[in-house]
Amino acid sequence: MSKKNILITGGAGFIGSHVVRLFVEKYPDYKIVNLDALTYAGNLENLADIEDKPNYFFEKVNILDADKLKEVFEKHEITDIVHLAAESHVDRSIVSPLDFVYTNVIGTVNLLNTAREQWKGEYDQHLFYHVSTDEVYGALGDTGLFTEETPYHPNSPYSASKASSDHFVRAYAETYHLRTVISNCSNNYGPYHFPEKLIPLFINNIINKKPLPVYGDGLYTRDWLYVKDHAIAIDLIFHKGRKDETYNIGGFNEWRNIDLVKLLCKIMDEKLGNISGTSEQLITYVKDRPGHDRRYAIDATKINKELGWKPTVTFEEGLAETVDWYLTNTRWLDHVTSGAYQSYYESMYSAR
Ligand code: NAD
Ligand code: TYD
């Protein structure tokens, strides 16, 4: 295996930290450079267990800063990129769409430009891997699955910004022959997930006996994948994926929100030694999210057939492991839910 110096952007976030950990541990001969601006969602505590490894480096840089990107590229002689840095929360995108345009669209184009300049004349030897979401495809009805051929139909400012970044990556492959690959994944869950997304928010609220705010009728459907299985898929695509292709990644695991919340309540009651039904009493139906996509579900046949990938963890196992992690890592949870988190929570949920 040839020596690589891989820039992983957004490595201090939820999925990025799992990707960084996997690459640092699995490939001691690679240099892994985690580039992250450390926004509210970025937390170096997510990587405390590997920060002393000799092949791990951290650079606090915003992807909007083209000069700094160039410096990092030259300093570490970057050979490949796995790009995860993004604003990632749909509800925040409804409040502040421009933040999503800056980071997700302009930041991605900055990174593409840097790669283009730095790798000029030798594009075949380098890879720009863009990590994206199934939300770019829009919403499904009661049946059907998203395939790699499904037309883009983004409905939220978040998914519109990710769709735009996907299009730029494609355009740079066509126009400049940059070697690229894109993956579009379904909803992830697992350790280190910031407690503004459904599963970690509800775990935290159950611990603190706070209401569980279910949007609308609760019948929205998501396809859930354990984050470590996403990281395994990214590793496979990075090393074995075909040039300029797109791969859909999903959990083959659809859940209506309300059913998932009830399952989570049951697991939490068992773990906390509560009388059965205690946590379910916290469920509160609240005002719906505007433009709320009804259903997402991925057809992951292509990655399964071409690269042999499939999820290794069942939902029951993954959810139980996740709950255990949050109950054990109370210090992490206390740190991320202090300060700014409180005012975010107030402004997001007091009006619902
Ligand atoms: P996250 O919000 O937990 O982490 C994002 C990271 O990017 C943070 O560490 C943050 O500090 C960093 N970042 C944000 N803006 C930056 C900037 N301007 N410059 C440098 N760093 C910046 O997100 P996540 O859930 O880990 O998602 C990672 C990627 O995977 C995103 O591109 C997202 O669109 C995609 N994705 C997420 C999911 C999911 O379920 N969470 C599913 C499919 C795809
Ligand atoms: P989320 O975790 O924000 O992921 P996404 O919107 O990217 O799929 O939300 C998952 C589902 O849970 C989605 O249908 C919205 C719903 N939801 C709630 O009902 N209440 C909440 O407080 C949150 C954050 C989400």
Side-chain angles (χ1 to χ4, degrees):
M1 204 168 287
S2 62
K3 167 119 176 57
K4 293 179 187 298
N5 300 333
I6 307 174
L7 185 74
I8 301 183
T9 70
F14 166 48
I15 302 171
S17 63
H18 288 278
V19 175
V20 166
R21 179 175 297 100
L22 177 70
F23 275 65
V24 164
E25 287 178 343
K26 188 167 170 189
Y27 304 106
D29 293 340
Y30 290 1
K31 181 177 186 180
I32 303 301
V33 182
N34 170 16
L35 182 147
D36 199 296
L38 299 182
T39 68
Y40 79 92
N43 181 358
L44 288 178
E45 285 178 63
N46 297 0
L47 291 164
D49 56 323
I50 57 118
E51 67 188 359
D52 293 332
K53 299 268 182 184
N55 61 337
Y56 172 72
F57 300 82
F58 173 68
E59 297 284 352
K60 184 174 183 304
V61 170
N62 193 312
I63 56 170
L64 289 168
D65 188 339
D67 292 339
K68 281 273 163 49
L69 288 181
K70 182 168 180 275
E71 266 176 41
V72 170
F73 253 73
E74 288 173 351
K75 175 174 163 195
H76 294 286
E77 299 177 328
I78 296 300
T79 58
D80 302 86
I81 297 177
V82 181
H83 176 37
L84 296 110
E87 287 291 340
S88 69
H89 187 33
V90 174
D91 289 328
R92 287 185 189 254
S93 82
I94 295 167
V95 179
S96 313
L98 261 183
D99 291 344
F100 287 68
V101 176
Y102 287 130
T103 286
N104 299 0
V105 185
I106 300 173
T108 299
V109 175
N110 260 340
L111 208 52
L112 285 163
N113 282 338
T114 310
R116 194 183 143 215
E117 282 156 20
Q118 297 288 320
W119 298 338
K120 202 173 261 158
E122 47 182 44
Y123 291 144
D124 271 1
Q125 294 162 45
H126 305 283
L127 178 67
F128 190 108
Y129 181 163
H130 180 58
V131 176
S132 192
T133 166
D134 61 353
E135 303 194 23
V136 298
Y137 298 123
L140 289 164
D142 290 340
T143 57
L145 300 170
F146 295 134
T147 73
E148 288 80 1
E149 309 306 321
T150 303
Y152 276 32
H153 193 106
N155 292 317
S156 73
Y158 164 64
S159 54
S161 68
K162 290 296 291 186
S164 173
S165 63
D166 293 10
H167 291 320
F168 271 103
V169 173
R170 246 176 248 283
Y172 271 59
E174 278 301 315
T175 309
Y176 307 113
H177 308 295
L178 203 62
R179 194 170 146 244
T180 66
V181 71
I182 299 175
S183 57
N184 296 85
C185 188
S186 64
N187 286 63
N188 286 215
Y189 70 97
Y192 302 108
H193 205 182
F194 192 80
E196 65 182 358
K197 308 275 174 76
L198 182 75
I199 291 178
L201 176 76
F202 280 30
I203 292 174
N204 188 39
N205 282 13
I206 291 172
I207 292 172
N208 293 296
K209 301 185 178 56
K210 283 170 72 170
L212 305 177
V214 173
Y215 296 165
D217 61 8
L219 302 180
Y220 294 84
T221 299
R222 297 292 183 262
D223 172 359
W224 293 95
L225 177 69
Y226 194 52
V227 62
K228 292 181 190 175
D229 277 326
H230 188 187
I232 291 170
I234 289 174
D235 176 25
L236 263 179
I237 293 169
F238 179 86
H239 286 97
K240 302 206 168 111
R242 280 186 293 140
K243 174 180 186 291
D244 302 342
E245 288 284 323
T246 283
Y247 292 89
N248 279 357
I249 309 170
F252 302 100
N253 180 41
E254 287 184 52
W255 284 80
R256 294 188 313 180
N257 290 343
I258 190 63
D259 298 331
L260 161 53
V261 170
K262 286 184 176 166
L263 173 63
L264 188 61
C265 287
K266 186 166 160 278
I267 295 174
M268 289 292 287
D269 281 344
E270 284 164 12
K271 303 266 184 202
L272 293 169
N274 288 339
I275 299 166
S276 160
T278 307
S279 300
E280 267 198 35
Q281 287 172 13
L282 298 169
I283 293 175
T284 312
Y285 287 91
V286 299
K287 193 160 147 266
D288 211 348
R289 170 189 282 173
H292 197 169
D293 285 333
R294 195 61 169 167
R295 177 171 162 260
Y296 302 142
I298 282 274
D299 179 349
T301 306
K302 179 175 170 180
I303 183 172
N304 176 254
K305 287 243 162 77
E306 275 189 27
L307 306 179
W309 176 90
K310 60 176 194 300
T312 62
V313 175
T314 67
F315 195 45
E316 286 69 17
E317 287 164 357
L319 212 48
E321 208 175 295
T322 303
V323 167
D324 283 339
W325 187 87
Y326 280 90
L327 291 175
T328 310
N329 289 274
T330 45
R331 221 171 99 87
W332 182 92
L333 200 51
D334 286 346
H335 284 182
V336 301
T337 54
S338 60
Y341 180 83
Q342 303 295 342
S343 48
Y344 157 78
Y345 196 85
E346 266 301 298
S347 67
M348 196 56 78
Y349 289 99
S350 62
R352 284 187 188 270

